[in-house]
Amino acid sequence: MEFILGMILFILMIAVGGVRGAKTFAAMYGNIIILIITVFLIACGVNAVAVTLAGCAVIGVVILFWINGVNIKTVTAFAAIAAVLLLFAAVMLYIGSSSHIQGFADENTEEICWYSPDIGLDMRQVTLAMMLTGLIGAITDTAIAITSALFEVHENNPELTMSELFISGMNIGRDIIGTTTNTLLFAYIGEFMTLVIWFREYEYPFSEIINSKVFCQDFLQIVSSGAGCMMIIPVAALFMAYSLTHRKPHDTEEDTLSPADCETADSNVNDSSAS
């Protein structure tokens, strides 16, 4: 059944996206492999935060450069993503340690009762790694949306200053805040609904719900992802506005020419020489 569903997804992506749809499908499975390698390295005792940041960087490279190519839009989006990830890694490490949400909750006791609790890992780092992994997809989508829109704004209005481009980027960001936040909400709502049903069935008092570790873990995951999407908007807008106003005049959207373009350019040169 999984194979059939995967083939249906592949066919739909090819039908809608063509070559880019095929590259997106390949990138999706490539990112799954990256996540598996990341989890394996964490289980082997490698620093969870460092491994996750490296894994997120590779995922960003695959999503941005493999699918969309190397150009000013993707390079600037990647720089903005790296800045936000590093900032949130520091902030969330402090918040996670202060709120004591690391490790398993009492509600997980039945699931792990047959396993040894001595796994030799820093659960604070593991919790942070989970938050960063949930953050990378959302901020990548928002970052490329901002940089691509600002590129088109600059192409149609090349006389705009850096501050004007930044304001345009913020206006674009405000338009996509609602859809991005709701996307995150519905991405987590399934697991959160299960948790609510659990609390309802066992008649948890409200004070115990808001202080339970499992609730705080899910709530902090949602809040951190939402805050990351809000933070990436001004960062991506600022980086892109600076890149567009300080790039060299001969810089273009794409870094390389296709073979057909090269043949056309050569023929034009030959015609000019002959004339």
Side-chain angles (χ1 to χ4, degrees):
M1 179 59 69
E2 291 81 3
F3 176 77
I4 295 175
L5 292 175
M7 288 303 300
I8 293 174
L9 176 62
F10 177 72
I11 293 172
L12 289 174
M13 295 181 76
I14 292 293
V16 175
V19 175
R20 182 163 293 189
K23 294 173 69 175
T24 303
F25 185 84
M28 181 179 64
Y29 279 93
N31 288 334
I32 292 175
I33 295 174
I34 294 170
L35 289 175
I36 293 174
I37 295 174
T38 301
V39 173
F40 176 79
L41 291 175
I42 293 174
C44 290
V46 184
N47 185 280
V49 178
V51 170
T52 304
L53 287 174
C56 289
V58 177
I59 290 172
V61 168
V62 172
I63 295 175
L64 294 173
F65 301 138
W66 165 250
I67 298 175
N68 300 295
V70 180
N71 50 64
I72 189 173
K73 297 179 294 186
T74 53
V75 171
T76 306
F78 183 80
I81 291 167
V84 171
L85 280 178
L86 291 175
L87 175 62
F88 264 79
V91 173
M92 297 310 299
L93 181 61
Y94 172 75
I95 294 177
S97 300
S98 302
S99 57
H100 303 289
I101 63 169
Q102 65 273 6
F104 296 102
D106 294 337
E107 290 78 11
N108 304 125
T109 304
E110 185 177 349
E111 301 174 12
I112 63 173
C113 63
W114 301 106
Y115 300 96
S116 172
D118 186 16
I119 59 176
L121 296 176
D122 187 345
M123 294 306 295
R124 291 176 300 178
Q125 295 184 3
V126 174
T127 302
L128 177 60
M130 293 169 54
M131 294 180 181
L132 291 175
T133 303
L135 184 64
I136 180 64
I139 65 173
T140 301
D141 179 53
T142 306
I144 194 63
I146 295 294
T147 57
S148 296
L150 268 187
F151 180 85
E152 294 301 325
V153 170
H154 182 265
E155 287 295 293
N156 290 281
N157 301 276
E159 72 282 355
L160 293 178
T161 64
M162 179 178 171
S163 60
E164 291 172 332
L165 284 172
F166 175 75
I167 293 173
S168 297
M170 292 299 295
N171 290 333
I172 295 168
R174 293 187 185 99
D175 290 336
I176 65 176
I177 281 177
T179 55
T180 302
T181 305
N182 279 281
T183 299
L184 289 172
L185 174 63
F186 288 109
Y188 292 112
I189 197 65
E191 183 179 357
F192 198 76
M193 286 178 62
T194 305
L195 182 61
V196 171
I197 294 173
W198 175 285
F199 287 143
R200 174 65 183 84
E201 289 296 321
Y202 288 91
E203 299 182 350
Y204 276 56
F206 180 74
S207 59
E208 189 173 347
I209 291 175
I210 61 175
N211 286 286
S212 65
K213 182 180 293 186
V214 64
F215 175 83
C216 291
Q217 286 176 344
D218 288 346
F219 182 77
L220 190 57
Q221 178 77 57
I222 296 173
V223 172
S224 62
S225 297
C229 288
M230 300 305 104
M231 181 63 68
I232 195 66
I233 291 173
V235 174
L238 179 63
F239 284 16
M240 191 61 179
Y242 178 85
S243 299
L244 289 172
T245 54
H246 290 78
R247 64 174 180 167
K248 297 178 181 179
H250 63 272
D251 288 345
T252 57
E253 177 185 354
E254 301 295 337
D255 293 335
T256 57
L257 291 174
S258 64
D261 293 333
C262 294
E263 293 177 1
T264 302
D266 291 338
S267 64
N268 291 337
V269 171
N270 293 333
D271 292 341
S272 300
S273 300
S275 58

